[in-house]
Amino acid sequence: MWALSLSPHEVEAVQALTHEIASEYKSVEDPQLIRRATIYAHELPRRVRQFLTEFKLLEPSDGVCLISGYPIDNDRIGKTPAHWKWKLDAETSLEEQIMFLLFGCLLGDPFAWATQQDGYLMHDVLPIKDNQYDQLGSGSEQTLFWHTEDAFHPHRADYLGLMCMRNPEGVATTLGAPDISRLSQEHLDVLFEPRYLIKPDESHSEKNESDQHKEARQNNGNGELNSAYEHIRKLNTAPPPVPMLFGPRQTPYLRLDPYFTTPLDDEAGAALNALAQSVDENIQEVALQPGDCIFIDNYRIVHGRKAFTARYDGTDRWLKRLNLTRDLRKLQSARTGSEMRVIV
Ligand SMILES: [Fe+2]
């Protein structure tokens, strides 16, 4: 994994910058802040800018980078919320969120899904009691099987950012990629063909939107939002056939979420099993520490999470999450909302 540890001097520089920005904005969801974030990111320490820019340009095969060394004030950020919908820490962790946003803006543009976490750009990943046994980031008792983020959708993120707020139990994030050289040519041929159906995961389901979001959608008849959920329902009942691999044959990009994937025939199933076995043999476990920011190349690396027992007492594992695209313009036909960054 590419890694950069901030020096004390760099931490001071980052804090001075985020402190100044936090005095002007109340939330990272503020459209003015989002519009200017890339410009602010130009003021991050040069070593950080160089590190993230090279990670983007060189596309290393290990596909994950880590920036560590930022001290999180465990008391100031407050308790791990019981749900993402309240944004109780919008101000108490604002400086940390701004840092994470600026790092992300060196890799791409943040975007949101109208159907996921009420369309917020910055997500919270934390255990929710009602999702305890679900195959969701907000679940806990089930292993979250490895996947590329939003594999079902053509506009999925190029990079997935995760910032650790707390993780006292050391719950592991899983990361991995297949060893393509160990796959047969026949299996590779099949994996490059559109012989698989990938359904949306449940984070895009209407049952996981907040009551306020649902009420607002129903009351104002927001056509775009309703059609976004309609689109998810269609992808659930009739997902289009897609390949598991694409791009260069020797170093292919991945589009993988086996838990939600149905192969169209036995040959496709056997090829996917071989691919999945190769990933399983290469899975690494990383227990993120407070202040760690990782950026996962969502075209090269799968991620998941080990099962754990949540306490729901304000001390559980808590991450922030950002979806980043290298080109907002490729989302043009599908976006709306805050600065045209919300996929509907
Ligand atoms: Fe994920």
Side-chain angles (χ1 to χ4, degrees):
M1 182 188 304
W2 279 33
L4 180 143
S5 179
L6 297 172
S7 70
H9 181 69
E10 287 167 334
V11 169
E12 269 178 37
V14 169
Q15 286 173 329
L17 178 61
T18 56
H19 187 72
E20 177 199 332
I21 298 169
S23 69
E24 289 188 45
Y25 306 94
K26 285 195 158 55
S27 160
V28 287
E29 304 291 330
D30 184 326
Q32 282 296 335
L33 170 56
I34 296 296
R35 183 182 291 189
R36 294 174 185 163
T38 302
I39 302 299
Y40 288 130
H42 294 174
E43 297 175 45
L44 287 166
R46 182 181 291 177
R47 211 166 61 103
V48 173
R49 287 179 282 144
Q50 190 170 338
F51 176 76
L52 288 166
T53 302
E54 288 186 0
F55 179 71
K56 180 179 180 178
L57 287 175
L58 302 178
E59 291 192 50
S61 59
D62 48 1
V64 187
C65 73
L66 163 71
I67 301 178
S68 60
Y70 184 88
I72 295 259
D73 184 330
N74 193 50
D75 293 329
R76 186 169 51 76
I77 61 171
K79 290 182 173 180
T80 301
H83 200 284
W84 47 258
K85 62 188 173 187
W86 296 302
K87 300 288 170 197
L88 296 176
D89 64 311
E91 293 190 43
T92 52
S93 71
L94 182 55
E95 292 185 24
E96 285 78 7
Q97 294 182 61
I98 289 171
M99 175 184 75
F100 181 41
L101 173 70
L102 301 194
F103 287 171
C105 284
L106 292 170
L107 289 174
D109 286 300
F111 71 94
W113 301 90
T115 50
Q116 193 184 44
Q117 295 213 4
D118 288 2
Y120 285 115
L121 286 164
M122 191 166 293
H123 295 168
D124 288 288
V125 179
L126 36 77
I128 296 175
K129 196 148 184 47
D130 284 348
N131 302 146
Q132 188 172 2
Y133 299 101
D134 295 342
Q135 188 59 206
L136 284 167
S138 52
S140 48
E141 294 288 340
Q142 259 197 41
T143 294
L144 183 61
F145 289 101
W146 51 256
H147 56 278
T148 48
E149 193 75 352
D150 300 309
F152 71 98
H153 204 285
H155 298 324
R156 64 198 176 281
D158 288 292
Y159 298 99
L160 185 72
L162 297 171
M163 175 172 66
C164 180
M165 306 293 281
R166 66 169 56 90
N167 188 15
E169 306 272 277
V171 178
T173 300
T174 50
L175 299 164
D179 181 351
I180 296 296
S181 70
R182 293 181 59 186
L183 296 176
S184 69
Q185 291 306 310
E186 293 75 22
H187 282 159
L188 268 180
D189 287 342
V190 172
L191 292 163
F192 270 88
E193 292 167 2
R195 292 166 70 169
Y196 302 89
L197 307 178
I198 310 178
K199 289 187 176 182
D201 67 82
E202 294 214 323
S203 69
H204 291 271
S205 161
E206 281 160 289
K207 74 178 184 186
N208 286 312
E209 71 178 330
S210 74
D211 290 343
Q212 299 92 310
H213 197 248
K214 185 171 288 177
E215 201 175 84
R217 179 160 64 87
Q218 287 166 350
N219 286 345
N220 68 17
N222 182 337
E224 277 176 330
L225 192 47
N226 279 314
S227 71
Y229 280 107
E230 180 59 33
H231 187 53
I232 293 292
R233 278 194 293 274
K234 271 190 196 147
L235 290 172
N236 237 315
T237 50
V242 295
M244 300 283 94
L245 303 178
F246 62 103
R249 176 96 179 185
Q250 300 305 320
T251 53
Y253 293 131
L254 313 175
R255 184 174 185 174
L256 289 179
D257 193 350
Y259 192 91
F260 292 97
T261 297
T262 306
L264 287 174
D265 54 73
D266 289 347
E267 203 178 31
L272 178 56
N273 282 343
L275 180 69
Q277 191 179 342
S278 174
V279 175
D280 283 336
E281 288 166 3
N282 282 311
I283 283 287
Q284 292 179 17
E285 296 180 9
V286 179
L288 297 175
Q289 300 300 309
D292 285 355
C293 293
I294 61 168
F295 293 94
I296 299 164
D297 186 335
N298 198 40
Y299 277 33
R300 293 201 177 278
I301 295 291
V302 298
H303 66 279
R305 189 211 62 238
K306 301 289 280 188
F308 67 104
T309 299
R311 296 183 289 225
Y312 307 112
D313 63 354
T315 66
D316 282 317
R317 175 182 184 261
W318 177 20
L319 311 179
K320 294 284 180 183
R321 180 174 69 193
L322 270 179
N323 282 291
L324 301 157
T325 176
R326 287 170 74 112
D327 184 4
L328 260 184
R329 191 154 59 171
K330 74 186 178 190
L331 281 47
Q332 198 162 33
S333 62
R335 60 196 167 111
T336 185
S338 175
E339 296 285 292
M340 296 285 282
R341 288 169 185 272
V342 183
I343 294 187
V344 293

